Amino acid sequence: MKRIAILGSTGSIGRSTLSVAESYSERFQIVALAAGSNLEAAFEQALRWKPRLVSLHFERDAGALRARLKQTGLSDIEVVYGTAGTVKVATHAEADFVVSAIVGVAGLEATYEAVKAGKTVGVANKECLVAAGELITAEARRQGKPLLPIDSEHNAVHQCLRGGRMEEVERIWLTASGGPFLSTPRSEFSSITVEQALNHPTWKMGKRITIDSATLMNKGFEVIEACRLFHLPPAKVEVLVHPQSTIHSMVEFIDGSILAQFSVTDMRLPILYALTYPERIQSDMRFPVGNLRHLDFCPPDMNKFPCLRLAYEAAEAGGAKTVALNAADEVAVAAFLDDGIGFDDIPRIIESAVSASKSGTMGSIAEVLEADAEARRYAQERVFELQKKSAPRATSVV
Amino acid sequence: MKRIAILGSTGSIGRSTLSVAESYSERFQIVALAAGSNLEAAFEQALRWKPRLVSLHFERDAGALRARLKQTGLSDIEVVYGTAGTVKVATHAEADFVVSAIVGVAGLEATYEAVKAGKTVGVANKECLVAAGELITAEARRQGKPLLPIDSEHNAVHQCLRGGRMEEVERIWLTASGGPFLSTPRSEFSSITVEQALNHPTWKMGKRITIDSATLMNKGFEVIEACRLFHLPPAKVEVLVHPQSTIHSMVEFIDGSILAQFSVTDMRLPILYALTYPERIQSDMRFPVGNLRHLDFCPPDMNKFPCLRLAYEAAEAGGAKTVALNAADEVAVAAFLDDGIGFDDIPRIIESAVSASKSGTMGSIAEVLEADAEARRYAQERVFELQKKSAPRATSVV
């Protein structure tokens, strides 16, 4: 029986993890859940899973949950709140495996503490590897515990890497759907609408990651994540556009052999893989291999998608630059979604914020959070400038 | 330094093995060579590699080689001949690794003896697994030594299998180019010429294997080989047509993940893999992944290519039936190449010979050779009948 703590239990990955646990209830026990501010969902999860511990973001929600659990005779479930509460979930003595799936920098500290506490951590939180990747992977190495990627690309890489040793890896190929604007001319990028950008061809996801997929920044983040997770320089992490998103990623070995992984596009598969690693267990998530017909590929266009280039540059610089990249992207995407700035303003804001940020490595999660806040402030100022300059709709320049 | 013996050193795989040894002369030493009747090539190889032992097919060739080696001051190279000579090469005390690449049943006994002598064997000889697969793989298991496949498909499977344990394999997918008649209507199969059949779209190979690729019998043999090598029932070995032959094969795991292997189509790559396993070493055989554009797939048509169906049936029956399948195919293909029978007579002859053959498992290599000879005689009679019935060119029926 593997005992699981979930950071971000009411989000998409959290719910998929619980769905996997539901399907294999003889194998997995849920011991601790950290949710955000969705009291109703947290209450239902507590009722269903009867964990030892639940954490919510706000103190008042924690109080309300405690009261409702008492009414239903579940007063032995401990309810906590805030960052301290999340850390308590992440380091729960009974948990063997921690799923890190809180969106944004909010999950950083708890994930770091889980790794420090010697837990095996499944990472679905992008910021853990983009902003704090050097810190968290160094700690995992110290602990001698694997960091298991819970996203289709890095999970695919993890699987392909089993075909050899790390010293035998020539390079990694991350596949990218190319997003909705793969064939849109560069000249039309300034007039791309929010609706167009939210229309992702292969995956249904949250809004920010959908926009990040449209700018290819999501693939850029994945390049950084791959560098951190697999200890590779950016030059050894390549991107290949593959519109069907069938092949999730590939590993090229020094002898010239390439291994590729594919499967259905269902997040429960990488979750199951991480939860059962190094074992594999039977699932009903079958890709109909016999129905394969066409797979297409092309190289990414870094001129059309400057976010990808910015990510490579930040990956090379490391430390504070990757923190700024992530922070500025979040601000710029939010501004685009609120219709304040143009689609092609997103890379402009990010480039400006990364360029203005300090460089150097991050010594602690506190430093990461500080650099993050600073980059956010800077990017937000650039957004305000843009909004002032051009009303009703920005089309250019920082 | 790995010390290598090659069975079939002057053939295509033998020469590729020596080419690999040439590129990595610091890693590999050639200690024994078994050639056929190409005296000149054997002499040159002996001069170049100075092995301890060389075997030729004929006694008179062995005598001639001995004399020429003496003239060039290499009289300490022992020269032997015949089946006993080949076995001596296969079991040479100094050899760590034996490459089994003699075409046809001639290599069976030597390969079996190599396995029995506890050598690690790289198998390129189809008959070792199709006709004598049960015997040879059982002996390798007893010895606790791997049988490493030296052909692109099974080598690809071997690589993909590293992504999990054998109990975690759902099924194997062997890819097939589909041969030159993938889009030829069934109705035109009786008028296919030798020239058309020898025109393989992706690989340059010997004549028999090229015809076997055109009938899909080669893929059928590979199904049987996969069953024997990886201890899987035929139902767990599927074939998928993939005209580009880029992906060499795939393994589907029980969790729903599929691993696929690809590389340049160069036999030196699986040879290098087998020779260095479990290590991988740097090669210049690079597949330009960034230039990938389109990969196409479709299911095989068993009605159009009855040889594939016959192979599945023989794989299921095992033992004598797979011996007969291989023997009858060799006879039928030779008859087609000599323009005696039609392309669509090939499966007819094979079906008839397999159906007439005994069933049951093979207890020894001698039994395999006996069953092989019997199936050959039977198939040859069917060929004669066809040639008598229809002159100048057969178009039908056994």
Side-chain angles (χ1 to χ4, degrees):
Chain A
M1 187 67 87
K2 196 164 270 182
R3 292 165 309 173
I4 300 167
I6 304 176
L7 312 180
S9 66
T10 57
S12 163
I13 297 289
R15 280 180 283 118
S16 290
T17 304
L18 290 172
S19 158
V20 169
E22 182 90 49
S23 304
Y24 301 92
S25 52
E26 73 292 358
R27 288 186 163 258
F28 305 119
Q29 187 192 345
I30 304 297
V31 294
L33 296 172
S37 50
N38 189 338
L39 175 61
E40 201 51 47
F43 174 65
E44 277 166 29
Q45 291 181 349
L47 269 190
R48 163 67 188 83
W49 293 98
K50 300 180 181 60
R52 301 262 189 265
L53 178 68
V54 178
S55 180
L56 287 168
H57 188 62
F58 295 112
E59 184 173 5
R60 60 175 151 75
D61 287 339
L65 180 63
R66 212 176 282 122
R68 289 180 69 178
L69 287 173
K70 198 173 174 183
Q71 280 169 13
T72 48
L74 291 169
S75 49
D76 52 344
I77 297 179
E78 189 183 357
V79 181
V80 291
Y81 63 89
T83 303
T86 313
V87 169
K88 202 165 177 182
V89 168
T91 57
H92 194 280
E94 288 184 35
D96 311 308
F97 193 103
V98 176
V99 174
S100 167
I102 291 176
V103 176
V105 291
L108 280 192
E109 193 176 337
T111 306
Y112 186 64
E113 293 300 326
V115 174
K116 259 175 77 175
K119 309 295 187 192
T120 297
V121 176
V123 192
N125 168 309
K126 180 175 25 201
E127 284 75 12
C128 285
L129 294 168
V130 173
E134 287 141 331
L135 275 172
I136 289 180
T137 58
E139 185 57 36
R141 275 201 299 285
R142 255 195 299 277
Q143 296 290 338
K145 285 287 166 67
L147 272 183
L148 295 164
I150 300 186
D151 69 280
S152 59
E153 288 82 358
H154 300 93
N155 193 267
V157 170
H158 192 275
Q159 296 195 31
C160 294
L161 285 173
R162 295 169 73 164
R165 292 172 301 135
M166 275 313 296
E167 312 88 85
E168 295 166 353
V169 173
E170 179 80 17
R171 59 177 71 83
I172 277 173
W173 293 86
L174 299 175
T175 54
S177 73
F181 307 124
L182 185 57
S183 340
T184 307
R186 178 89 175 86
S187 57
E188 293 174 20
F189 270 39
S190 62
S191 56
I192 284 170
T193 66
V194 171
E195 196 184 15
Q196 288 169 330
L198 285 176
N199 184 26
H200 191 272
T202 48
W203 288 91
K204 289 281 149 253
M205 305 171 292
K207 280 187 180 183
R208 181 186 170 199
I209 191 171
T210 304
I211 302 301
D212 283 342
S213 298
T215 62
L216 291 202
M217 181 53 101
N218 186 52
K219 208 48 58 177
F221 289 144
E222 289 177 5
V223 168
I224 300 170
E225 292 179 74
C227 292
R228 302 300 173 251
L229 262 176
F230 308 118
H231 316 302
L232 292 171
K236 291 201 165 198
V237 180
E238 302 256 8
V239 172
L240 187 64
V241 173
H242 169 40
Q244 291 95 351
S245 300
T246 299
I247 291 182
H248 297 318
S249 277
M250 312 190 246
V251 172
E252 181 178 347
F253 291 96
I254 55 174
D255 62 353
S257 285
I258 297 123
L259 293 186
Q261 189 267 0
F262 63 102
S263 64
V264 291
T265 49
D266 185 325
M267 288 313 298
R268 291 177 304 145
L269 206 142
I271 292 169
L272 180 66
Y273 177 86
L275 288 178
T276 61
Y277 178 81
E279 266 186 87
R280 292 179 185 271
I281 65 175
Q282 190 78 43
S283 91
D284 57 0
M285 293 177 275
R286 304 241 71 84
F287 186 98
V289 181
N291 296 348
L292 259 183
R293 289 300 175 270
H294 308 287
L295 300 177
D296 301 304
F297 306 87
C298 67
D301 183 342
M302 296 252 195
N303 291 320
K304 216 162 103 172
F305 297 102
C307 284
L308 186 55
R309 172 180 55 79
L310 295 173
Y312 269 103
E313 291 167 5
E316 198 65 65
K321 295 294 185 190
T322 59
V323 177
L325 184 86
N326 173 66
D329 177 71
E330 193 169 330
V331 171
V333 168
F336 170 69
L337 286 171
D338 294 344
D339 213 7
I341 65 167
F343 185 77
D344 59 346
D345 288 327
I346 298 173
R348 293 194 186 107
I349 289 170
I350 298 167
E351 182 152 26
S352 159
V354 172
S355 162
S357 84
K358 286 188 209 141
S359 42
T361 56
M362 302 279 95
S364 66
I365 296 294
E367 277 186 52
V368 171
L369 296 177
E370 198 180 309
D372 176 81
E374 200 173 304
R376 263 167 223 276
R377 272 194 304 274
Y378 185 92
Q380 196 58 62
E381 278 165 31
R382 299 285 80 71
V383 169
F384 290 148
E385 282 173 25
L386 275 174
Q387 285 169 331
K388 262 186 279 177
K389 271 190 196 164
S390 57
R393 178 151 174 68
T395 50
S396 66
V397 171
V398 248
Chain B
M1 188 67 89
K2 196 165 268 182
R3 293 166 307 174
I4 300 167
I6 305 177
L7 311 179
S9 65
T10 57
S12 163
I13 295 290
R15 279 180 284 119
S16 292
T17 304
L18 290 173
S19 158
V20 169
E22 183 90 49
S23 305
Y24 301 92
S25 53
E26 75 291 356
R27 287 185 162 260
F28 304 120
Q29 186 192 345
I30 304 298
V31 295
L33 297 172
S37 50
N38 190 336
L39 174 61
E40 202 51 48
F43 174 65
E44 277 166 30
Q45 291 181 349
L47 270 189
R48 163 65 189 87
W49 294 97
K50 300 181 181 60
R52 301 264 190 263
L53 176 69
V54 178
S55 179
L56 287 167
H57 188 62
F58 295 112
E59 184 174 4
R60 61 176 151 72
D61 288 338
L65 179 62
R66 211 175 283 122
R68 290 181 67 177
L69 287 174
K70 199 173 174 185
Q71 280 167 14
T72 48
L74 291 170
S75 50
D76 52 343
I77 298 179
E78 188 183 358
V79 181
V80 292
Y81 63 89
T83 303
T86 313
V87 170
K88 204 166 176 181
V89 168
T91 56
H92 193 281
E94 287 184 35
D96 311 308
F97 193 103
V98 176
V99 174
S100 166
I102 291 176
V103 175
V105 292
L108 279 192
E109 192 175 338
T111 306
Y112 185 63
E113 293 300 325
V115 174
K116 259 176 78 176
K119 310 295 186 192
T120 298
V121 176
V123 192
N125 169 310
K126 178 176 26 203
E127 284 76 11
C128 284
L129 295 167
V130 174
E134 287 142 330
L135 275 172
I136 289 180
T137 58
E139 185 59 35
R141 276 201 299 283
R142 254 194 300 277
Q143 296 289 338
K145 286 288 165 65
L147 273 183
L148 295 163
I150 300 186
D151 69 279
S152 59
E153 288 81 359
H154 300 92
N155 192 267
V157 170
H158 193 275
Q159 297 195 32
C160 294
L161 285 173
R162 294 168 75 164
R165 292 173 300 134
M166 276 311 297
E167 311 88 85
E168 295 166 354
V169 173
E170 180 80 16
R171 61 176 71 82
I172 278 172
W173 293 86
L174 299 174
T175 54
S177 73
F181 308 123
L182 184 57
S183 339
T184 307
R186 178 88 174 87
S187 57
E188 294 173 19
F189 270 39
S190 63
S191 55
I192 284 169
T193 66
V194 171
E195 196 184 14
Q196 288 169 329
L198 284 177
N199 184 27
H200 191 270
T202 48
W203 288 89
K204 288 282 149 251
M205 305 171 293
K207 281 187 178 182
R208 183 187 168 197
I209 192 173
T210 304
I211 302 301
D212 283 343
S213 298
T215 61
L216 291 203
M217 181 53 102
N218 187 52
K219 208 49 57 178
F221 289 145
E222 288 176 6
V223 169
I224 300 171
E225 291 178 77
C227 293
R228 302 300 173 250
L229 264 175
F230 307 118
H231 315 303
L232 293 170
K236 291 201 163 198
V237 181
E238 302 257 8
V239 171
L240 188 64
V241 173
H242 169 39
Q244 291 94 349
S245 299
T246 298
I247 291 182
H248 297 318
S249 277
M250 313 189 245
V251 171
E252 180 177 347
F253 292 96
I254 54 174
D255 62 353
S257 285
I258 297 123
L259 292 186
Q261 189 267 2
F262 63 103
S263 64
V264 290
T265 49
D266 186 325
M267 288 313 298
R268 292 177 305 145
L269 206 144
I271 292 169
L272 180 67
Y273 177 86
L275 287 179
T276 61
Y277 179 80
E279 266 186 88
R280 291 180 186 271
I281 65 175
Q282 190 78 43
S283 92
D284 57 359
M285 292 177 276
R286 303 242 71 85
F287 185 98
V289 182
N291 296 348
L292 261 184
R293 288 301 174 270
H294 307 287
L295 300 177
D296 302 303
F297 306 87
C298 67
D301 182 341
M302 297 251 196
N303 291 321
K304 216 161 102 173
F305 298 103
C307 284
L308 185 56
R309 172 181 55 78
L310 295 173
Y312 269 104
E313 290 168 6
E316 198 64 67
K321 295 294 185 188
T322 60
V323 177
L325 185 85
N326 172 67
D329 177 71
E330 193 170 329
V331 170
V333 168
F336 170 69
L337 285 171
D338 296 343
D339 212 4
I341 65 166
F343 185 77
D344 60 345
D345 288 328
I346 298 173
R348 292 194 188 107
I349 289 171
I350 299 167
E351 182 153 25
S352 158
V354 172
S355 161
S357 83
K358 284 184 208 145
S359 42
T361 56
M362 301 280 93
S364 66
I365 296 292
E367 275 186 56
V368 171
L369 295 177
E370 197 182 310
D372 176 82
E374 200 174 304
R376 264 167 222 277
R377 272 194 303 275
Y378 186 92
Q380 197 57 62
E381 278 167 30
R382 299 286 79 70
V383 169
F384 291 148
E385 281 173 26
L386 276 173
Q387 285 169 328
K388 262 185 280 177
K389 271 189 194 164
S390 55
R393 179 151 173 70
T395 50
S396 68
V397 170
V398 247

